Each structure stands twice: as structure tokens, then as C-alpha cells.
């Protein structure tokens, strides 16, 4: 397989269909529209289902229906559309159905703008809808990683029968980079044991999220919680740079993490002992590794393209004696490496600086 | 006489009435006198007669029929309030060989789900919609619906409903994607028989892939109308029929040939 120059949105779309996505339903919204447009052409070419829905509410419920048939299915949107999908995502999660939702995050709140942001962190990691659950959330920092995590998203969704959100910021969606796409996966005709295919020669199958009795609903909730415990134990993902001897740690994901890396590299060249920890899974938050690193550094700087959302997870993870600082830009403003460098320099003890 | 009684009978017995196969045997939770049960029975009989049970997938609504996916002996699921046509679209697009049916109340279909039903019909989705119109929100205790009659008093329109009822069959019938849209009533046996025939036709429309089909059924809610079951049936005839005339609103020529 060779590397091609690909736009993030197109790369995600192409990776999804190569992962065996059989049905896609979506609604146009910048900065994810190229994803929908790519699939509008490619899915029919492959004899698969593509439909531009009348709204994100309809799109997520079409995904819900397709997921009931046991095929790989996906939708994509950005903040305002993800807000409209909350109810459907909660139903899907409460029906133990796998599916993938791509959120190419833009500036908010409200209509906001179409510029890159990480403002949906709360929305996607906390529950993505009503009730007690978390989707699995993956955050790419390059076009190649967006491809790889799209494949992983489908695999994790099937493995756990769980909702997976690919949380890409607008920069990842819009930028062009060389990336290698995986080969086309064969579509198997086999459907999982829960799939609604018509009760021919077997007992009827039923998919719902309705438990009238408190005991039954609580038992179902415990079932979700047990699954989430398994996910937290097995699926924490992160990557790190210059952490071995780091005394200062930057924590950032997606584009913010990537920009922070430039700042860290520059300071390292000047002999400053700074490292970067980049979470890849936002849920489960990679707390095990972060806790280890936090024990070795004198301070942490969290960098995000929002007002400090992952910051809360860092605070929940790291013991109280490690000071946690924050640098963020909002509303589509992108931090430049110099801003992060300056924020880091302010945190350095004077003996390190001299 | 005694001898005669003891004579072994050899007259062959013919089954003239039994539970439809497509309907399970568990009791439903519907109120006494509610015609949701009649609608269930008609749909099940029609599925049996066309031998479609093993191909069918039912999408139940949020509303009094929320448990419909349990009552029918076939594959089924339960949609968010109003979203059954979108879910059915997802299923039907992936598995066109299945017979996909939504079963929806009037709050579900005409209020919160007005967008989904409109677009499913406009796209000509080859699904069958059983639309149970009782002019009120049953499950939540009798609030006003877009289908409530002018002046109708409900717990959320205590001074009488303002405005006029939304006529979904009339509205959807103008869409080119709609192949078969009819309104029937469940208030007496003659009308029930006509309703059954319409459901049979609607399922055949889907089998033949002719487009979107919907059978609206005027249905009773004695509990929230504050009436006895017989009074409720009378109320359909006296009050609902003038606002919701039964009839064929869209029947493609191809449907007539079925
Ligand atoms: C999003 C959402 N809003 C509101 C409700 C509450 N709710 C449940 S059933 C119902 C009304 C159902 O009425 P209708 O569709 O007319 O069916 P019926 O109960 O009369 O058969 C409402 C408002 C809900 N479950 N979900
Ligand atoms: S509340 Fe009304 S619609 Fe619901 S089951 Fe009772 S009578 Fe039927």
C-alpha cells in the first residue's frame, strides 16, 4: 500500500468503507461535509447504502435501524449536529448496538463557527445523551491516525457492542497529509446473533432499551457498567514524547497535542526537561499512565482548544500535590507553538531556566 | 339419547377462529375497550394471510404501543419517540427483502415525528406505517395532540383545544413518494373489516416495492377520553369521523392492479 495525499475527512470516509461500513447516513455540516460527499459517490459504487437524511435526528435513527440489522454503520457531523444526535446515541448505547459516530469539532457554543475546536469534549466523553453510560471516544492528531482510529473504532464497536465516537477537530478534518489506507476488508454475509433479519425458522429477536421495573433497569445499568469497567481496563490509549526524564509535562490531545509537540521539541532543543503526554482514547481516559507520569513531574500544563474540558479528567486523575495549569484557545482560535512555549516557561522553576 | 351421545363423532373439525401466528399469547397492557388491541390483531392476521411473519420486522413507537415489539411473534425493535420511520428506513435500506412495518400513535407520528414521517413518505421508502390515531396522547395521561379535535378538552387543553386537527393522511397523500394512503376506523365490525383489507393492501404494496404505504386507523382511548368503551366507540363515530373522513387518499394505479 502506498501513501497518498488525503484530506482528513476523505481519509476517514475511505477508511470507514474499507473497514466494512455497509450503511452511512448523514447530514451536511462544515467542517465534516467532504466526508459525506465522498461517501455519496463511493457507497453506491460499492453497492452499499448511502442516504443524506433530513436531519441529524433522522440520521442517527437510521444508523440505529441499520445497526439493528447487524451491519457496520456510521454517521458523521459537527457540534450542532452531534447535539441533535444525543437522544439517538443514548438509545443505541442502551440497546447494546455497535456503531461509529464521527464528530469533526467546530467552534461553539451555539451556531459558533466552522473553525477548528475541541469544544465537544464534555459532550462526547461524558455520556453523549441521557443516562449513565460513556461512549468510547478516540481522538486523532494526524490524517494517518484518523485512518487508523477509524478502523479501530469499528473493531472496538463490534467487540464491545458499544458506541464509538471518533472525535476529530476541524483541523484534522480539513488538512491534507500523506497517509496510507488499509486494504478493503471483505464484507461477510454473516450477521451477529442479535441481528433483526426476520424470524425465519428461529425465535423472534427483539431490540429495545425499555425496562419498566426498577430492578430490571438497574440490572441493565449494571451490565453497561461492567462493560465500561472492561473497557477502562483494556482500552486506555495514549502516546508520549520526551517523558523519560521530564520534569514538566504537557497534556494535550488531537491537534492541540500536536501543536504542543512543536513547543516541547523546541524547548528540548534548549535543554528544558519537558515532555508531552497525548491521550488517544478520551474515554477511557488514559489515567493509569498519566498517574505514573504525574508522580515524576513538578507541574502539568493542559493544552486544549476549549476553555478546559479534558482539564477536569486530568484533575480527577492526578494526585493533588502536582500543580495543574491550563492553556487554551477557544472559538476556532488555534494556539501557536510559541504561546505554549511561553506558558511552559512560566511554569519552570528558576534553577531549570538558568 | 344416551347412546347417541356416546357415539364417537367423526365429523371433521374446521378451524374457523384462532390466535394469529404473528401475535404472541401474552396478555397486553392495553386498557379495556382500547382499540390498539384490534389494530394489533388485524396486522397479525394480515401478516399471517400473506405469510410474511418470518420476513417482517416491526418498529414499535413510544406511546401506549411501546411494547408492540413484545406482543408480535416476529423480529422487532423500539424507536425513540417519533423516529420509527427513520429507524425503519435504516433497516429497509440495508435489508430490502424484509417487510418493515412501523406502528405509531398520533402524538408519535403527527407531532414529534412529523419530520420523519414526511420525509420517509417523500422519499417513497418502501415501508408500511400503521398509524393509530386516537386524537390524544394516551400513554402520558391524555394531553392534547395535533390531532385533537377543535374544542376537545384534555388535561393540557382544559378550556378546549384551539385550532384544527392535523390531517396526516390528507397531508402525506400529496407526496409523489406515497403509493398507498388510506384512513379507516375501528369503531364497528364493518369498519374493522375494511381496515383489515387496507392493511392487507398496504403490505402487498411493500411486497411489490411500490413505495410508501400508510393505513391510518381511527382508534379509541376510553381511559383518557373519560368514556366507557361503548361510549368511546360512539365518540369515534360522532366526533372523529367528521374531522377525519375515512377514505382512500392516495392509491397508485399500480396498487389497484395488485
Ligand atoms: C422525546 C420524548 N418526549 C416525550 C416523551 C413522553 N411520551 C411518551 S408517550 C407520549 C405520547 C404518545 O402519544 P401517542 O403517540 O398519541 O400514542 P398513544 O399513547 O396515544 O397510543 C409522550 C409525549 C418521550 N418518551 N420521549
Ligand atoms: S391510555 Fe388510551 S390509548 Fe393507551 S391503552 Fe389506555 S385506552 Fe388505549
Amino acid at each position: 500500500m502506498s501513501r497518498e495525499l488525503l484530506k482528513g475527512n476523505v481519509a476517514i470516509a475511505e477508511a470507514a468503507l474499507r473497514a466494512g461500513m455497509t450503511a452511512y447516513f448523514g447530514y451536511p455540516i462544515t467542517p465534516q461535509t467532504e466526508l459525506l460527499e465522498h461517501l455519496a459517490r463511493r457507497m453506491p459504487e460499492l453497492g452499499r447504502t448511502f442516504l443524506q437524511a433530513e436531519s441529524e435526528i433522522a440520521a442517527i435513527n437510521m444508523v440505529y435501524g441499520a445497526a439493528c440489522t447487524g451491519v457496520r454503520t456510521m454517521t458523521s457531523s459537527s457540534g450542532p449536529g452531534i447535539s441533535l444526535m444525543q437522544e439517538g446515541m443514548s438509545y443505541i448505547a442502551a440497546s447494546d448496538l455497535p456503531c461509529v459516530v464521527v464528530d469533526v469539532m467546530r467552534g461553539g457554543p451555539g451556531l459558533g463557527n466552522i473553525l477548528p475546536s475541541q469544544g465537544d469534549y464534555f459532550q462526547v466523553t461524558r455520556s453523549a445523551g441521557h443516562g449513565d453510560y460513556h461512549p468510547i471516544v478516540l481522538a486523532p492528531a494526524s490524517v494517518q491516525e484518523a485512518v487508523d482510529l477509524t478502523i479501530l473504532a469499528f473493531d472496538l464497536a463490534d467487540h464491545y457492542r458499544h458506541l464509538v465516537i471518533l472525535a476529530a477537530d476541524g483541523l484534522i478534518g480539513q488538512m491534507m497529509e500523506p497517509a496510507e489506507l488499509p486494504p478493503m476488508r471483505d464484507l461477510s454475509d454473516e450477521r451477529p446473533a442479535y441481528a433483526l433479519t426476520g424470524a425465519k425458522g428461529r425465535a423472534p429477536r427483539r431490540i429495545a432499551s425499555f425496562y419498566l421495573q426498577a430492578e430490571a433497569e438497574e440490572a441493565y445499568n449494571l451490565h453497561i457498567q461492567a462493560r465500561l469497567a472492561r473497557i477502562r481496563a483494556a482500552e486506555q490509549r495514549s502516546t508520549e514524547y520526551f517523558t523519560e526524564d521530564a520534569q514538566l509535562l504537557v497534556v494535550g490531545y488531537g491537534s492541540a497535542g500536536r501543536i504542543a509537540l512543536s513547543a516541547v521539541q523546541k524547548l528540548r532543543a534548549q535543554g528544558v526537561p519537558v515532555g508531552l503526554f497525548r491521550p488517544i482514547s478520551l474515554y477511557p481516559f488514559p489515567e493509569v499512565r498519566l498517574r505514573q507520569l504525574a508522580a515524576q513531574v513538578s507541574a502539568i500544563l493542559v493544552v486544549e482548544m476549549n476553555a478546559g474540558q479534558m482539564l477536569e479528567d486530568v484533575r480527577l486523575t492526578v494526585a493533588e500535590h502536582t500543580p495543574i495549569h491550563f492553556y487554551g484557545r477557544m472559538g476556532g482560535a488555534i494556539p501557536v507553538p510559541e504561546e505554549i512555549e511561553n506558558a511552559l516557561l512560566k511554569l519552570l522553576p528558576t534553577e531549570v531556566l538558568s | 339419547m344416551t347412546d347417541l351421545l356416546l357415539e364417537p363423532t367423526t365429523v371433521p373439525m374446521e378451524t374457523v377462529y384462532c390466535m394469529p401466528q404473528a401475535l404472541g399469547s401474552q396478555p397486553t397492557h392495553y386498557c379495556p375497550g382500547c382499540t390498539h388491541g384490534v389494530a394489533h390483531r388485524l396486522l397479525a392476521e394480515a401478516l399471517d394471510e400473506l405469510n410474511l411473519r418470518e420476513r417482517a420486522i416491526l418498529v414499535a413507537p413510544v406511546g401506549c404501543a411501546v411494547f408492540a415489539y413484545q406482543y408480535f411473534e416476529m423480529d422487532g425493535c423500539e424507536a425513540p419517540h417519533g423516529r420509527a420511520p427513520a429507524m425503519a428506513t435504516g433497516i429497509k435500506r440495508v435489508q430490502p427483502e424484509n417487510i418493515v412495518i412501523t406502528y405509531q400513535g398520533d402524538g408519535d407520528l403527527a407531532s414529534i415525528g412529523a419530520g420523519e414521517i414526511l420525509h420517509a413518505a417523500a422519499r417513497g421508502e418502501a415501508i408500511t406505517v400503521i398509524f393509530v390515531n386516537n386524537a390524544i396522547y394516551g400513554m402520558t395521561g391524555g394531553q392534547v395532540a395535533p390531532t385533537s379535535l377543535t374544542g376537545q378538552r384534555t388535561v393540557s387543553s382544559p378550556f378546549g383545544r384551539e385550532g384544527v386537527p392535523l390531517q396526516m393522511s390528507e397531508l402525506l397523500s400529496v407526496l409523489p413518494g406515497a403509493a398507498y394512503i388510506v384512513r379507516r376506523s375501528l369503531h364497528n365490525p364493518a369498519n374493522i373489516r375494511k381496515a383489515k383489507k387496507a392493511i392487507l393492501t398496504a403490505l402487498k404494496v411493500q411486497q411489490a416495492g411500490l413505495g410508501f404505504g400508510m393505513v391510518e386507523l381511527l382508534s379509541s382511548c376510553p381511559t383518557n377520553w373519560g368514556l366507557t368503551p361503548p361510549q368511546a366507540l360512539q365518540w369515534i363515530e360522532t366526533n372523529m369521523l367528521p374531522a377525519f373522513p375515512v377514505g382512500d387518499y392516495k392509491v397508485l394505479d399500480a396498487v389497484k392492479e395488485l
Side-chain angles (χ1 to χ4, degrees), chain B residues 123-140:
Chain B
R123 288 191 302 265
E125 294 297 338
I127 60 171
T128 304
V129 176
I130 306 297
F131 170 32
V132 177
N133 179 1
N134 57 18
I136 207 159
Y137 283 26
M139 192 196 207
T140 39

Side-chain angles (χ1 to χ4, degrees), chain B residues 47-176:
Chain B
L47 286 162
D48 277 6
E49 282 167 39
L50 297 173
N51 201 17
L52 291 177
R53 184 188 74 84
E54 295 189 327
R55 273 172 68 193
I57 299 176
L58 182 81
V59 186
V62 168
C64 281
V66 64
F67 274 129
Y69 66 94
Q70 293 280 7
Y71 299 151
F72 285 87
E73 273 299 295
M74 55 199 214
D75 279 9
C77 55
E78 193 280 306
H81 196 16
R83 317 300 174 211
M87 245 184 124
T89 298
I91 297 170
K92 185 73 181 180
R93 292 282 177 132
V94 176
Q95 293 175 171
E97 65 282 6
N98 283 106
I99 297 295
V100 183
I101 302 157
T102 74
Y103 184 108
Q104 303 179 256
D106 47 309
D108 193 79
L109 182 143
S111 191
I112 195 167
E116 282 72 18
I117 195 71
L118 184 89
H119 285 277
R123 288 191 302 265
E125 294 297 338
I127 60 171
T128 304
V129 176
I130 306 297
F131 170 32
V132 177
N133 179 1
N134 57 18
I136 207 159
Y137 283 26
M139 192 196 207
T140 39
Q143 297 80 16
V144 71
T147 39
S148 294
L149 307 182
T150 305
Q152 188 177 335
R153 285 174 198 272
T154 72
V155 288
S156 64
S157 61
F159 309 111
R161 193 237 159 135
E162 291 172 12
V164 290
L166 185 51
Q167 297 166 307
M168 291 306 289
S169 287
E170 288 83 338
L171 186 71
L172 299 179
S173 67
V174 301
L175 300 171

Side-chain angles (χ1 to χ4, degrees), chain B residues 224-253:
Chain B
N224 289 305
W225 293 349
L227 300 174
T228 64
Q231 286 171 336
L233 297 178
Q234 188 56 51
W235 197 85
I236 296 180
E237 187 167 359
T238 320
N239 297 300
M240 283 186 84
L241 282 180
F244 297 109
V246 293
D248 296 353
Y249 288 90
K250 176 80 171 278
V251 182
L252 282 188
D253 286 342

